[in-house]
Amino acid sequence: MGSLPPFLDLPSPNAKFQQVDQTTLLNLFKSQQNQLNYFFQSLNLSQALTFTQTLLNCNGTIFFSGVGKSGFVANKISQTLISLGIRAGFLSPVDALHGDIGALFASDILVLFSKSGNTEELLRLVPCAKAKGAYLVSVTSVEGNALTAVCDMNVHLPLERELCPFDMAPVTSTAIQMVFGDTVATALMGARNLTKEEYAANHPAGRIGKSLIFKVKDVMKKQNELPICNEGDLIMEQLVELTSKGCGCLLVVDGGSHLTGTFTDGDLRRSLKASGEGIFKAYSRRNVQPVI
């Protein structure tokens, strides 16, 4: 393989990096906790409730949009709502102006996530979304921003400062956006009386889905997948069948294809211990565990 590009090279041992000690890390965690506590203590619950109720009463699709890190959060929240059976989606503000806004209708809600509320891409999207008749909601953290002046509803997420030492990198603002969105999603989950079975139906490949949805018939081996042999077959001839089907046993049938017993990996090992290589000249019938 070739070498990494210069900008991806790992730092040399002589790089002037300081070690991160436990005290420093602990203080950062405590500081982030304080910032989150400020959010919880300062959040306008009336705004949050109105926002949640508005989403609950939506007759169309709830679209989320944002740019950069706020866009990632908006996309994640839309995926959470989808997993709850709620019609939702992410609308890229750039792609929206190149055709994707065709998915937006008058019965829809468009939620715009932006820390500053002055994101140019979102401001360009607003008049186009209004022309489609959608209901616009801004979710921002800076007072008196441009989005609040042009949207139908505004939710303020209180932010004291970013954890970043320069108060610039969006490491606290995105955290409160995520907490806010996931909490609202959980409230919608309860208000819609979503059952565990309904939730599992949207997660068929997950642990919950497998435990509540799949039946034996959905996962059992069928027809040609079954490791079948006849009573008179030599064990040597059936070793491939025993191992290739991945069941750990052979289903032994008689001339009428009726199940008469099983021959397992354990039976093979015990027979090898008792008879040695002579087992490979024996017939399945001699070592079959009968079906009662």
Side-chain angles (χ1 to χ4, degrees):
M1 295 179 63
S3 60
L4 291 173
F7 59 87
L8 291 180
D9 283 345
L10 295 175
S12 67
N14 297 323
K16 297 180 180 179
F17 291 152
Q18 298 179 359
Q19 294 295 321
V20 178
D21 59 76
Q22 181 174 321
T23 300
T24 300
L25 189 60
L26 178 60
N27 288 337
L28 285 172
F29 278 124
K30 287 182 177 179
S31 180
Q32 184 75 311
Q33 182 181 34
N34 290 335
Q35 301 304 326
L36 293 176
N37 286 338
Y38 174 84
F39 162 73
F40 291 125
Q41 293 165 5
S42 306
L43 178 66
N44 186 323
L45 286 179
S46 178
Q47 279 189 354
L49 179 60
T50 301
F51 173 74
T52 304
Q53 197 65 43
T54 299
L55 298 193
L56 181 63
N57 295 333
C58 180
N59 294 319
T61 301
I62 304 169
F63 284 100
F64 293 83
S65 189
V67 176
K69 308 302 185 295
S70 294
F72 293 138
V73 174
N75 192 9
K76 188 273 178 188
I77 296 172
S78 73
Q79 293 301 311
T80 297
L81 294 187
I82 291 171
S83 74
L84 301 179
I86 299 172
R87 283 186 293 171
F90 176 75
L91 185 64
S92 163
V94 176
D95 294 336
L97 301 184
H98 292 272
D100 284 6
I101 201 169
L104 198 63
F105 292 91
S107 58
D108 299 335
I109 294 175
L110 177 59
V111 182
L112 306 171
F113 273 86
S114 171
K115 172 190 171 181
S116 69
N118 297 313
T119 308
E120 292 184 6
E121 293 88 344
L122 295 180
L123 290 172
R124 287 197 294 267
L125 173 60
V126 166
C128 303
K130 281 193 169 185
K132 298 283 290 186
Y135 187 83
L136 305 188
V137 182
S138 70
V139 181
T140 62
S141 290
V142 175
E143 297 280 8
N145 61 75
L147 275 180
T148 61
V150 293
C151 288
D152 301 298
M153 177 188 296
N154 305 290
V155 179
H156 177 69
L157 303 185
L159 174 67
E160 189 172 32
R161 61 161 287 132
E162 298 284 4
L163 183 64
C164 164
F166 311 120
D167 193 19
M168 296 177 67
V171 291
T172 303
S173 56
T174 51
I176 64 176
Q177 287 175 345
M178 190 75 78
V179 168
F180 175 77
D182 283 345
T183 303
V184 169
T186 305
L188 294 176
M189 187 178 181
R192 292 167 63 93
N193 296 315
L194 186 72
T195 66
K196 191 175 182 180
E197 288 72 22
E198 290 171 331
Y199 181 78
N202 296 331
H203 299 75
R207 178 181 60 83
I208 295 178
K210 288 179 179 179
S211 65
L212 295 178
I213 296 176
F214 286 109
K215 299 178 175 61
V216 171
K217 67 178 181 180
D218 297 320
V219 296
M220 71 181 187
K221 292 185 179 293
K222 306 175 183 70
Q223 300 175 351
N224 293 335
E225 299 174 326
L226 296 173
I228 296 175
C229 72
N230 295 310
E231 292 179 318
D233 291 341
L234 287 172
I235 292 176
M236 183 65 181
E237 296 173 347
Q238 294 302 321
L239 283 180
V240 173
E241 185 77 0
L242 177 63
T243 57
S244 64
K245 296 299 178 64
C247 293
C249 72
L250 289 171
L251 303 179
V252 184
V253 298
D254 59 19
S257 295
H258 299 113
L259 183 65
T260 60
T262 62
F263 181 77
T264 68
D265 286 336
D267 294 329
L268 177 61
R269 289 192 297 272
R270 285 185 288 272
S271 298
L272 277 171
K273 184 176 181 181
S275 305
E277 295 181 1
I279 186 63
F280 295 120
K281 298 180 181 179
Y283 295 99
S284 302
R285 179 176 54 248
R286 292 175 48 191
N287 302 278
V288 166
Q289 298 295 326
V291 175
I292 300 177

PDB file of all heavy atoms in Angstrom, residues 9-10 21 33 43 53 62 98 127 133 136 153 193 223 245 252 274 288 290:
ATOM      1  N   ASP A   9      -0.633  12.098   7.591  1.00  0.00           N
ATOM      2  CA  ASP A   9       0.470  11.457   8.295  1.00  0.00           C
ATOM      3  C   ASP A   9       0.267  11.561   9.799  1.00  0.00           C
ATOM      4  O   ASP A   9      -0.155  12.593  10.319  1.00  0.00           O
ATOM      5  CB  ASP A   9       1.800  12.101   7.917  1.00  0.00           C
ATOM      6  CG  ASP A   9       2.283  11.631   6.544  1.00  0.00           C
ATOM      7  OD1 ASP A   9       1.757  10.626   6.045  1.00  0.00           O
ATOM      8  OD2 ASP A   9       3.173  12.301   5.991  1.00  0.00           O
ATOM      9  N   LEU A  10       0.609  10.478  10.495  1.00  0.00           N
ATOM     10  CA  LEU A  10       0.522  10.503  11.944  1.00  0.00           C
ATOM     11  C   LEU A  10       1.597  11.419  12.505  1.00  0.00           C
ATOM     12  O   LEU A  10       2.692  11.526  11.931  1.00  0.00           O
ATOM     13  CB  LEU A  10       0.690   9.087  12.499  1.00  0.00           C
ATOM     14  CG  LEU A  10      -0.410   8.094  12.119  1.00  0.00           C
ATOM     15  CD1 LEU A  10      -0.064   6.702  12.633  1.00  0.00           C
ATOM     16  CD2 LEU A  10      -1.743   8.542  12.681  1.00  0.00           C
ATOM     17  N   ASP A  21      -4.325  14.537  30.869  1.00  0.00           N
ATOM     18  CA  ASP A  21      -4.347  13.846  32.154  1.00  0.00           C
ATOM     19  C   ASP A  21      -5.777  13.677  32.642  1.00  0.00           C
ATOM     20  O   ASP A  21      -6.721  14.289  32.134  1.00  0.00           O
ATOM     21  CB  ASP A  21      -3.519  14.605  33.200  1.00  0.00           C
ATOM     22  CG  ASP A  21      -4.029  16.016  33.427  1.00  0.00           C
ATOM     23  OD1 ASP A  21      -5.061  16.172  34.104  1.00  0.00           O
ATOM     24  OD2 ASP A  21      -3.395  16.967  32.903  1.00  0.00           O
ATOM     25  N   GLN A  33     -21.213  19.019  31.647  1.00  0.00           N
ATOM     26  CA  GLN A  33     -22.397  18.751  32.468  1.00  0.00           C
ATOM     27  C   GLN A  33     -23.040  20.049  32.924  1.00  0.00           C
ATOM     28  O   GLN A  33     -24.270  20.188  32.906  1.00  0.00           O
ATOM     29  CB  GLN A  33     -22.014  17.898  33.679  1.00  0.00           C
ATOM     30  CG  GLN A  33     -23.192  17.530  34.569  1.00  0.00           C
ATOM     31  CD  GLN A  33     -22.765  16.717  35.773  1.00  0.00           C
ATOM     32  OE1 GLN A  33     -21.666  16.910  36.313  1.00  0.00           O
ATOM     33  NE2 GLN A  33     -23.607  15.808  36.214  1.00  0.00           N
ATOM     34  N   LEU A  43     -34.495  26.135  29.604  1.00  0.00           N
ATOM     35  CA  LEU A  43     -35.376  25.835  28.473  1.00  0.00           C
ATOM     36  C   LEU A  43     -36.800  26.295  28.745  1.00  0.00           C
ATOM     37  O   LEU A  43     -37.347  26.071  29.825  1.00  0.00           O
ATOM     38  CB  LEU A  43     -35.363  24.326  28.194  1.00  0.00           C
ATOM     39  CG  LEU A  43     -36.270  23.831  27.055  1.00  0.00           C
ATOM     40  CD1 LEU A  43     -35.793  24.371  25.710  1.00  0.00           C
ATOM     41  CD2 LEU A  43     -36.319  22.303  27.038  1.00  0.00           C
ATOM     42  N   GLN A  53     -46.417  19.298  20.435  1.00  0.00           N
ATOM     43  CA  GLN A  53     -47.815  19.132  20.055  1.00  0.00           C
ATOM     44  C   GLN A  53     -48.011  19.408  18.567  1.00  0.00           C
ATOM     45  O   GLN A  53     -48.821  18.753  17.904  1.00  0.00           O
ATOM     46  CB  GLN A  53     -48.694  20.067  20.885  1.00  0.00           C
ATOM     47  CG  GLN A  53     -50.169  19.715  20.878  1.00  0.00           C
ATOM     48  CD  GLN A  53     -50.449  18.376  21.551  1.00  0.00           C
ATOM     49  OE1 GLN A  53     -49.886  18.074  22.598  1.00  0.00           O
ATOM     50  NE2 GLN A  53     -51.311  17.573  20.930  1.00  0.00           N
ATOM     51  N   ILE A  62     -42.947  15.282   8.519  1.00  0.00           N
ATOM     52  CA  ILE A  62     -42.117  16.208   9.289  1.00  0.00           C
ATOM     53  C   ILE A  62     -40.706  16.153   8.712  1.00  0.00           C
ATOM     54  O   ILE A  62     -40.011  15.150   8.851  1.00  0.00           O
ATOM     55  CB  ILE A  62     -42.099  15.832  10.780  1.00  0.00           C
ATOM     56  CG1 ILE A  62     -43.517  15.761  11.339  1.00  0.00           C
ATOM     57  CG2 ILE A  62     -41.268  16.836  11.567  1.00  0.00           C
ATOM     58  CD1 ILE A  62     -43.588  15.145  12.729  1.00  0.00           C
ATOM     59  N   HIS A  98     -32.370  22.309  -5.683  1.00  0.00           N
ATOM     60  CA  HIS A  98     -32.071  21.697  -6.978  1.00  0.00           C
ATOM     61  C   HIS A  98     -33.010  20.526  -7.242  1.00  0.00           C
ATOM     62  O   HIS A  98     -32.619  19.534  -7.864  1.00  0.00           O
ATOM     63  CB  HIS A  98     -30.609  21.242  -7.023  1.00  0.00           C
ATOM     64  CG  HIS A  98     -29.633  22.377  -7.013  1.00  0.00           C
ATOM     65  ND1 HIS A  98     -29.212  23.007  -8.162  1.00  0.00           N
ATOM     66  CD2 HIS A  98     -29.021  23.008  -5.982  1.00  0.00           C
ATOM     67  CE1 HIS A  98     -28.358  23.980  -7.845  1.00  0.00           C
ATOM     68  NE2 HIS A  98     -28.232  24.006  -6.526  1.00  0.00           N
ATOM     69  N   PRO A 127     -37.946  30.989   1.718  1.00  0.00           N
ATOM     70  CA  PRO A 127     -39.005  31.473   0.813  1.00  0.00           C
ATOM     71  C   PRO A 127     -39.517  30.393  -0.130  1.00  0.00           C
ATOM     72  O   PRO A 127     -40.699  30.400  -0.480  1.00  0.00           O
ATOM     73  CB  PRO A 127     -38.312  32.607   0.036  1.00  0.00           C
ATOM     74  CG  PRO A 127     -36.854  32.357   0.184  1.00  0.00           C
ATOM     75  CD  PRO A 127     -36.680  31.726   1.522  1.00  0.00           C
ATOM     76  N   GLY A 133     -46.106  26.108   0.837  1.00  0.00           N
ATOM     77  CA  GLY A 133     -47.163  26.093   1.848  1.00  0.00           C
ATOM     78  C   GLY A 133     -46.817  25.353   3.113  1.00  0.00           C
ATOM     79  O   GLY A 133     -47.687  25.146   3.968  1.00  0.00           O
ATOM     80  N   LEU A 136     -43.133  26.294   8.868  1.00  0.00           N
ATOM     81  CA  LEU A 136     -41.712  26.364   9.182  1.00  0.00           C
ATOM     82  C   LEU A 136     -41.466  26.602  10.667  1.00  0.00           C
ATOM     83  O   LEU A 136     -42.098  27.461  11.286  1.00  0.00           O
ATOM     84  CB  LEU A 136     -41.043  27.477   8.376  1.00  0.00           C
ATOM     85  CG  LEU A 136     -41.207  27.422   6.846  1.00  0.00           C
ATOM     86  CD1 LEU A 136     -40.334  28.478   6.191  1.00  0.00           C
ATOM     87  CD2 LEU A 136     -40.866  26.042   6.318  1.00  0.00           C
ATOM     88  N   MET A 153     -42.893  29.331  13.638  1.00  0.00           N
ATOM     89  CA  MET A 153     -42.709  29.014  15.052  1.00  0.00           C
ATOM     90  C   MET A 153     -41.214  28.993  15.337  1.00  0.00           C
ATOM     91  O   MET A 153     -40.412  28.627  14.476  1.00  0.00           O
ATOM     92  CB  MET A 153     -43.316  27.645  15.403  1.00  0.00           C
ATOM     93  CG  MET A 153     -43.085  27.215  16.848  1.00  0.00           C
ATOM     94  SD  MET A 153     -43.599  25.506  17.178  1.00  0.00           S
ATOM     95  CE  MET A 153     -45.357  25.620  16.881  1.00  0.00           C
ATOM     96  N   ASN A 193     -48.983   6.211  21.773  1.00  0.00           N
ATOM     97  CA  ASN A 193     -49.233   4.884  22.369  1.00  0.00           C
ATOM     98  C   ASN A 193     -48.538   3.772  21.573  1.00  0.00           C
ATOM     99  O   ASN A 193     -49.121   2.702  21.326  1.00  0.00           O
ATOM    100  CB  ASN A 193     -50.734   4.602  22.463  1.00  0.00           C
ATOM    101  CG  ASN A 193     -51.453   5.562  23.390  1.00  0.00           C
ATOM    102  OD1 ASN A 193     -50.974   5.848  24.487  1.00  0.00           O
ATOM    103  ND2 ASN A 193     -52.584   6.095  22.945  1.00  0.00           N
ATOM    104  N   GLN A 223     -36.507 -27.605   3.036  1.00  0.00           N
ATOM    105  CA  GLN A 223     -36.271 -28.448   1.864  1.00  0.00           C
ATOM    106  C   GLN A 223     -34.798 -28.745   1.625  1.00  0.00           C
ATOM    107  O   GLN A 223     -34.180 -29.465   2.400  1.00  0.00           O
ATOM    108  CB  GLN A 223     -36.937 -27.795   0.648  1.00  0.00           C
ATOM    109  CG  GLN A 223     -38.440 -27.628   0.824  1.00  0.00           C
ATOM    110  CD  GLN A 223     -39.085 -26.872  -0.321  1.00  0.00           C
ATOM    111  OE1 GLN A 223     -38.423 -26.312  -1.182  1.00  0.00           O
ATOM    112  NE2 GLN A 223     -40.412 -26.842  -0.326  1.00  0.00           N
ATOM    113  N   LYS A 245     -24.237 -28.328   5.857  1.00  0.00           N
ATOM    114  CA  LYS A 245     -25.529 -27.718   6.138  1.00  0.00           C
ATOM    115  C   LYS A 245     -25.541 -26.920   7.436  1.00  0.00           C
ATOM    116  O   LYS A 245     -26.489 -26.199   7.716  1.00  0.00           O
ATOM    117  CB  LYS A 245     -26.620 -28.806   6.176  1.00  0.00           C
ATOM    118  CG  LYS A 245     -26.836 -29.511   4.839  1.00  0.00           C
ATOM    119  CD  LYS A 245     -27.283 -28.543   3.760  1.00  0.00           C
ATOM    120  CE  LYS A 245     -27.455 -29.177   2.404  1.00  0.00           C
ATOM    121  NZ  LYS A 245     -28.498 -30.175   2.317  1.00  0.00           N
ATOM    122  N   VAL A 252     -32.185 -38.580   9.660  1.00  0.00           N
ATOM    123  CA  VAL A 252     -32.173 -39.897   9.020  1.00  0.00           C
ATOM    124  C   VAL A 252     -33.602 -40.306   8.688  1.00  0.00           C
ATOM    125  O   VAL A 252     -34.486 -40.273   9.548  1.00  0.00           O
ATOM    126  CB  VAL A 252     -31.524 -40.947   9.948  1.00  0.00           C
ATOM    127  CG1 VAL A 252     -31.423 -42.286   9.226  1.00  0.00           C
ATOM    128  CG2 VAL A 252     -30.144 -40.471  10.391  1.00  0.00           C
ATOM    129  N   ALA A 274     -15.018 -44.981  19.995  1.00  0.00           N
ATOM    130  CA  ALA A 274     -15.294 -46.390  20.263  1.00  0.00           C
ATOM    131  C   ALA A 274     -14.777 -47.304  19.165  1.00  0.00           C
ATOM    132  O   ALA A 274     -14.267 -48.402  19.441  1.00  0.00           O
ATOM    133  CB  ALA A 274     -16.804 -46.598  20.436  1.00  0.00           C
ATOM    134  N   VAL A 288     -27.819 -44.270  14.735  1.00  0.00           N
ATOM    135  CA  VAL A 288     -28.900 -43.310  14.756  1.00  0.00           C
ATOM    136  C   VAL A 288     -29.530 -43.201  16.142  1.00  0.00           C
ATOM    137  O   VAL A 288     -29.741 -44.212  16.821  1.00  0.00           O
ATOM    138  CB  VAL A 288     -29.967 -43.709  13.712  1.00  0.00           C
ATOM    139  CG1 VAL A 288     -31.261 -42.939  13.938  1.00  0.00           C
ATOM    140  CG2 VAL A 288     -29.439 -43.438  12.319  1.00  0.00           C
ATOM    141  N   PRO A 290     -32.848 -42.709  17.761  1.00  0.00           N
ATOM    142  CA  PRO A 290     -34.235 -42.829  17.307  1.00  0.00           C
ATOM    143  C   PRO A 290     -35.111 -41.656  17.729  1.00  0.00           C
ATOM    144  O   PRO A 290     -34.866 -41.033  18.749  1.00  0.00           O
ATOM    145  CB  PRO A 290     -34.720 -44.135  17.961  1.00  0.00           C
ATOM    146  CG  PRO A 290     -33.865 -44.271  19.173  1.00  0.00           C
ATOM    147  CD  PRO A 290     -32.509 -43.726  18.788  1.00  0.00           C
TER     148      PRO A 290
END
